[in-house]
Amino acid sequence: MMRQPHGVAPLTARLEPWMEQVLADADGCSALLEEYGSPVNLLDLAALRRNAEELAEAARRHGVDLLIQVARKANKALAVVDAARELGLGIDVGGQDELLQVLGRGVDPRRVVLTAAVKPISLLRLCLEHDVLCALDNLDEAEELSGLARQQGVRARVALRIAPDPDSGLPPSRFGLLAEQWLQWLAGAPAVEVEGIHFHLHGYAALDRVTMLGRALVLVDELRARGHHPSNIDIGGGVPMSYLDDGQQWQDFWTAHHAALETGQPITWRGHPLSNVYPYHQAPVRGVWLDEVLGAGLLGGSVAEQLRGRGLQLRCEPGRAMLDGCGMTLARVVMRKQTSDGLDLVGLEMNRTQCRSTSDDFMVDPLLARPGTAGAPSDPVEAWLVGAYCIEAELILQRRIAFPDGVAVGDVIALPNTGGYLMHILESASHQMPLARNLVRGTDGGFRLDAIDLGGT
């Protein structure tokens, strides 16, 4: 059996059975790349139900009404929208095309929330036209939406996005306003119906959500005292998940990384220090994490008791945590070489934006499938995966990867668990390179193009 590649300090991916089945057919992987081009994004959305149920079950244990709204920005495939709709989940949209696509796929507008960071007037008009809840982020868009609603003789459905108070101990945020600013704005009687309170926090800490829920509950009470009728609190995204099963590997990587930086024997490209990365192993995740949030003490009771006592629905907008286990990216090896100072490179037919989020690196080891059409493998080698953009630092992964059984032109490299954010959020067609195609796995195990690549809406 061929030994799999791994980081010099290994970070072994947690795999779904469907991923293992696909990679076991190396010739089939190669055939997909031949037909659809390299790279290609594979999706199997069966895990979405399981991931959502973890959160839903935690809410049921606490007697809390929960609406999960899958973050549309996490993956552009329309199959994600369809799967969420079929499961009765809501959708969080971040822009005009996302909103039109979601509505076009038959999602109930009452289960859609618009959270776009920038909302041009055309987008606000769409919200009013389709009666979609708009999470207000600033006074400029709030005034614009209220003005449009007043012109049409209607009231806009809104959630007020609140930011952490400076004295809260939470990291500052660019999103939202202080509660006092919203109360002052509402005193001007804008043409809005305040349906909820919304917040977005950086990071994944359960206790940070508890702190902000306390602020939101106080605001709900104040709003109700002033004649408004908020019915929900939305904690945004940041529901944690883990890419790795082995927490010790995660700790060992950082020990090795820091030691390598000190000794000058880097395990990252040119000794690049990694700092801004997702916590690829963390605990608790999803349902157990929500248990912690809902069971935490707050305002003389638990969070769950405070929500139930006020008749409030809890909402959340997970993306990565819902698409955990739902995606994998394949790319073809096209060359091997060394830099002028002797660093080994393995070139993939893809570019670095096709598996990249806003983090410094994707911290999961790649996998390799060797089809019968692959060339002769190299000797065992430690190398960096590089892409097609004509720049020096065109790295698919910043980490040095060991290939214990060598690497061959025509090999298929798999980047596992890329369904949440890694496939699309930064993808670019620079150099006139086409964007990766997106294939959805059916119940028969075969793959078909997603509607997004067929001009679907």
Side-chain angles (χ1 to χ4, degrees), residues 5-70:
H6 57 81
V8 175
L11 293 171
T12 306
R14 182 183 57 74
L15 301 178
E16 296 288 327
W18 76 266
M19 298 177 187
E20 296 173 329
Q21 293 166 12
V22 168
L23 293 173
D25 181 8
D27 290 337
C29 291
S30 183
L32 289 174
L33 295 176
E34 284 295 320
E35 183 174 359
Y36 296 104
S38 177
V40 66
N41 295 320
L42 306 183
L43 291 163
D44 183 320
L45 295 166
L48 178 62
R49 177 187 296 273
R50 179 197 67 205
N51 296 337
E53 182 58 24
E54 282 188 39
L55 291 178
E57 176 57 30
R60 283 194 293 269
R61 284 194 294 270
H62 291 270
V64 169
D65 180 19
L66 175 70
L67 175 61
I68 300 168
Q69 300 170 110
V70 179

Side-chain angles (χ1 to χ4, degrees), residues 88-150:
L89 307 177
I91 304 283
D92 157 35
V93 298
Q96 184 163 314
D97 285 353
E98 287 189 359
L99 177 55
L100 289 171
Q101 289 167 356
V102 165
L103 296 174
R105 304 301 284 189
V107 177
D108 182 352
R110 304 292 295 192
R111 302 182 80 80
V112 177
V113 60
L114 173 73
T115 61
V118 173
K119 303 181 183 74
I121 191 168
S122 59
L123 182 53
L124 296 175
R125 283 198 183 102
L126 273 177
C127 271
L128 278 179
E129 178 184 348
H130 296 282
D131 199 26
V132 168
L133 181 67
C134 180
L136 294 178
D137 182 71
N138 58 75
L139 293 180
D140 286 329
E141 70 188 25
E143 283 293 323
E144 193 79 72
L145 182 63
S146 176
L148 288 170
R150 190 170 284 110

Side-chain angles (χ1 to χ4, degrees), residues 79-256:
V80 174
V81 176
D82 294 343
R85 184 197 66 237
E86 291 164 7
L87 291 172
L89 307 177
I91 304 283
D92 157 35
V93 298
Q96 184 163 314
D97 285 353
E98 287 189 359
L99 177 55
L100 289 171
Q101 289 167 356
V102 165
L103 296 174
R105 304 301 284 189
V107 177
D108 182 352
R110 304 292 295 192
R111 302 182 80 80
V112 177
V113 60
L114 173 73
T115 61
V118 173
K119 303 181 183 74
I121 191 168
S122 59
L123 182 53
L124 296 175
R125 283 198 183 102
L126 273 177
C127 271
L128 278 179
E129 178 184 348
H130 296 282
D131 199 26
V132 168
L133 181 67
C134 180
L136 294 178
D137 182 71
N138 58 75
L139 293 180
D140 286 329
E141 70 188 25
E143 283 293 323
E144 193 79 72
L145 182 63
S146 176
L148 288 170
R150 190 170 284 110
Q151 290 171 17
Q152 297 179 27
V154 298
R155 296 177 68 80
R157 300 173 56 228
V158 304
L160 305 177
R161 179 179 272 176
I162 57 173
D165 293 339
D167 63 354
S168 66
L170 300 177
S173 175
R174 62 167 283 204
F175 297 107
L177 298 176
L178 299 180
E180 293 77 11
Q181 293 174 288
W182 285 124
L183 290 172
Q184 183 177 358
W185 179 69
L186 289 171
V192 299
E193 184 69 35
V194 180
E195 291 193 6
I197 307 301
H198 185 285
F199 60 82
H200 175 87
L201 292 180
H202 183 69
Y204 309 95
L207 288 180
D208 287 354
R209 271 74 188 169
V210 174
T211 298
M212 281 300 288
L213 278 163
R215 305 283 171 140
L217 289 165
V218 170
L219 181 55
V220 164
D221 293 344
E222 181 64 29
L223 288 169
R224 287 178 171 176
R226 297 185 183 201
H228 299 280
H229 307 284
S231 59
N232 67 80
I233 296 178
D234 190 329
I235 64 174
V239 176
M241 53 84 71
S242 279
Y243 289 85
L244 313 171
D245 281 332
D246 191 341
Q248 189 61 50
Q249 275 194 344
W250 186 236
Q251 296 177 35
D252 291 347
F253 169 81
W254 289 108
T255 299

